[in-house]
Amino acid sequence: MTALFPALKDPTDRLALSFGAETLTYEELGRAAGALAVRIEGAGRVAVWATPTSRTAVAVVAALLAGVPVIPVNPRTGERELAHILGDSAPGAVLAGADDVLPAALAALPRVDVDVHGQGPAAEAGAPDDPESPALIVYTSGTTGPPKGVVLSHRAVAASLDALEEAWAWTADDVLVHALPLFHVHGLILGILGPLRRGGSVRHLGSFSVEGVARELGAGGGTMLFGVPTMYHRIADALDGDPALVRALSEARLLVSGSAALPVHDHERIAAATGRTVVERYGMTETLMNTSVPVGSPPRPGSVGLPLRGVELRLVEEDGTELAAYDGESVGEIQVKGPNLFSAYLNRPDATAAAFDGGWFRTGDMAVREPDGYVRIVGRKATDLIKSGGYKIGAGEIENALLDHPAVAEAAVTGEPDPDLGERIVAWVVAADTEKPPTAEELADHVAGLLAPHKRPRTVHFLGALPRNDMGKLLKKALPAALAESGRG
Ligand code: MCA
Ligand code: AMP
């Protein structure tokens, strides 16, 4: 395979990264990452304290150059989730900024400070001896149990980014604007490694704001925007009465949404105000990118487009039969094959084996195919997986965290439709002492502290008992009726 970052081979003073006032040219990035790569060679795996800063970008590029697998860590990860990630992935060191304050579990590891102005020998371009060697281990939630570490190879990263180059006509002239977190595939692999692989540049906003998008896409010179549907929803809400935002979006070359479905209503509001259509692409931590609406094709709100180069996609019925129909109505589970796929779940051969059906990866997403091959996602197999703000969250991990609160006797978690977040986490709780139930805020803080703030329940309902069948199995569908009956709804 080619080097991951060809632009670091003969680096120029072109802008590579900008995080607010902090900017790095390819030459500066090459020197900083080159210096850091030398320091971490042979470190085994490294955890990266993935703040939305240039340090994270430099640390990840350095590790990839050194052939050291990276575990990006959400700086807001709660204690239980962090303990699981560190126990499972066993990093040999943590890379963080000199002034970052790390939680005890990470502070116990050998620490390597990331100096974004480090002066090393110019970096190698980053061609691993073995393309199958692990590049990143990204943790992702399942329906039950703690998150699993998805091992992504150099081959998978390069293949997926190069397929997007073709689908989006993505070049070194592109300036990508985004505000995504840097501990998931969307923000880190697509949003940072993507522009760097093309030799283009990225302007990261630090945190999402509609004003920031207008500023960086407009006068800031941005040509592309990546976001989750919640961000596009907030943009759509703001378009009326914000001519600068309308102009910035109208002038952008490409607006891309992913990580969850962008409602047709938001597609339409953006198209009506700006004349631009948002392109949707469909991916997953385990598969990186699978499909996209190709740039320049007619608008298709509600569709995630066609399989990307190298990706084979099929729909499979419940009984395992492959669907032949391209009729826009026969629903099957999406299964995929291709060079974009992950290598394995770390330390979980059982889960890895269960995720495949004769070489095809079972995505758990349900879809139909239109006569021209366009894929439309219509649902998800597992109701216990929630997508909130573009984050995948397992109901089971939140239920377990809630049950660990001394004032909680029983707990169930569901995802309810939410106009802003797509789905909102709702907790249904039986208090240990029904006379003195905990507050909703207390429970949200408890979950945020153990797992992560984005996993906290946004609504908490208190019930006298959870609805169960004769076998004692929880009936999640009956929760709203139980609440109405209890007179508390
Ligand atoms: C609130 N906060 C708390 C608590 N409540 N902190 C601790 N305890 C609490 N009880 C803090 C938060 O940390 C945050 O701080 C602030 O309050 C607001 O948090 P929140 O309400 O969660 O923010 P939001 O408004 O709901 O965020 C919307 C968002 C966010 C910006 C759209 O959901 C987001 O960034 N989503 C991106 C998800 C993503 O990248 N997914 C990719 C995975 P502060 O304000 O300081 O931040 S999917 C993927 O990778 C696949 C491959 C794909 O297809 O893309
Ligand atoms: P994650 O496990 O966090 O990587 O999330 C992957 C999941 O996000 C997929 O299995 C889909 O359910 C969902 N997803 C990603 N992109 C889209 C999209 N454009 N439309 C609908 N769902 C999407």
Side-chain angles (χ1 to χ4, degrees):
M1 67 178 271
T2 57
L4 259 186
F5 306 113
L8 288 180
K9 207 158 185 236
D10 295 302
T12 64
D13 58 1
R14 276 182 72 112
L15 188 69
L17 302 164
S18 111
F19 287 80
E22 180 113 274
T23 60
L24 288 178
T25 64
Y26 273 94
E27 202 173 339
E28 290 165 334
L29 172 64
R31 290 200 174 280
L36 187 56
V38 172
R39 292 168 64 202
I40 60 174
E41 245 163 46
R45 300 177 183 133
V46 292
V48 169
W49 186 242
T51 51
T53 63
S54 53
R55 291 162 183 173
T56 301
V58 169
V60 172
V61 170
L64 294 177
L65 295 176
V68 172
V70 173
I71 302 124
V73 175
N74 173 0
R76 290 211 163 87
T77 302
E79 28 179 306
R80 173 172 305 173
E81 192 159 301
L82 183 60
H84 164 70
I85 291 172
L86 298 181
D88 189 50
S89 62
V94 54
L95 311 191
D99 53 0
D100 284 330
V101 179
L102 302 181
L106 269 175
L109 292 175
R111 179 172 178 153
V112 181
D113 291 340
V114 179
D115 178 2
V116 298
H117 301 296
Q119 293 289 326
E124 293 293 312
D129 296 336
D130 176 8
E132 292 306 315
S133 59
L136 294 114
I137 300 166
V138 180
Y139 278 80
T140 188
S141 292
T143 45
T144 55
K148 299 190 284 283
V150 176
V151 181
L152 295 163
S153 66
H154 283 255
R155 173 258 305 152
V157 171
S160 208
L161 293 177
D162 293 351
L164 293 177
E165 173 189 25
E166 182 178 290
W168 296 343
W170 191 352
T171 73
D173 292 332
D174 279 306
V175 177
L176 172 66
V177 173
H178 77 92
L180 293 155
L182 301 189
F183 45 84
H184 277 310
V185 165
H186 195 169
L188 180 61
I189 300 187
L190 267 61
I192 298 291
L193 304 185
L196 295 181
R197 179 152 175 85
R198 296 279 73 81
S201 52
V202 54
R203 291 177 169 273
H204 195 281
L205 302 179
S207 65
F208 177 77
S209 71
V210 172
E211 305 76 61
V213 168
R215 187 184 63 240
E216 297 298 343
L217 261 190
T223 65
M224 296 166 87
L225 176 68
F226 286 179
V228 293
T230 302
M231 296 172 179
Y232 283 102
H233 178 78
R234 293 179 187 178
I235 288 172
D237 274 350
L239 283 167
D240 204 9
D242 188 344
L245 178 63
V246 171
R247 202 172 328 114
L249 292 185
S250 322
E251 289 169 2
R253 188 181 77 75
L254 192 62
L255 310 173
V256 186
S257 174
S259 300
L262 181 63
V264 171
H265 178 60
D266 288 330
H267 269 289
E268 288 173 350
R269 289 198 293 165
I270 293 171
T274 69
R276 303 309 311 269
T277 49
V278 178
V279 162
E280 276 201 75
R281 87 325 176 259
Y282 158 61
M284 206 172 166
T285 306
E286 289 90 334
T287 65
L288 302 180
M289 295 303 115
N290 294 311
T291 70
S292 178
V293 174
V295 65
S297 62
R300 285 289 272 272
S303 169
V304 294
L306 297 167
L308 292 165
R309 186 182 68 204
V311 178
E312 291 179 71
L313 183 149
R314 67 177 191 177
L315 300 183
V316 175
E317 288 183 271
E318 196 64 51
D319 65 2
T321 320
E322 190 175 335
L323 273 173
Y326 283 76
D327 57 5
E329 49 187 67
S330 305
V331 178
E333 182 192 4
I334 301 178
Q335 297 193 348
V336 289
K337 245 187 199 176
N340 51 315
L341 259 56
F342 72 131
S343 310
Y345 292 117
L346 188 67
N347 305 324
R348 294 292 306 276
D350 54 331
T352 308
F356 284 89
D357 173 4
W360 293 86
F361 176 72
R362 311 169 197 263
T363 64
D365 292 308
M366 307 300 289
V368 300
R369 261 176 325 203
E370 306 292 349
D372 58 2
Y374 273 60
V375 176
R376 188 156 50 84
I377 295 176
V378 296
R380 207 167 29 229
K381 237 177 164 178
T383 48
D384 273 350
L385 277 183
I386 301 165
K387 264 273 163 164
S388 187
Y391 288 112
K392 189 185 217 173
I393 302 159
E397 54 182 327
I398 308 175
E399 287 161 359
N400 288 336
L402 286 168
L403 286 170
D404 278 349
H405 192 288
V408 173
E410 288 186 80
V413 166
T414 57
E416 306 286 318
D418 184 279
D420 181 48
L421 295 170
E423 286 181 288
R424 166 179 73 246
I425 297 172
V426 178
W428 309 76
V429 168
V430 178
D433 177 350
T434 47
E435 297 300 309
K436 277 196 244 141
T439 65
E441 198 188 358
E442 194 181 334
L443 295 180
D445 289 348
H446 171 75
V447 174
L450 278 184
L451 304 178
H454 64 263
K455 298 187 176 179
R456 73 191 189 279
R458 309 277 174 142
T459 305
V460 181
H461 297 301
F462 292 98
L463 292 165
L466 297 184
R468 295 183 184 277
N469 67 12
D470 294 344
M471 312 291 291
K473 186 178 178 306
L474 178 65
L475 299 170
K476 287 199 175 180
K477 285 203 174 97
L479 284 164
L483 181 67
E485 264 170 43
S486 74
R488 302 180 210 218

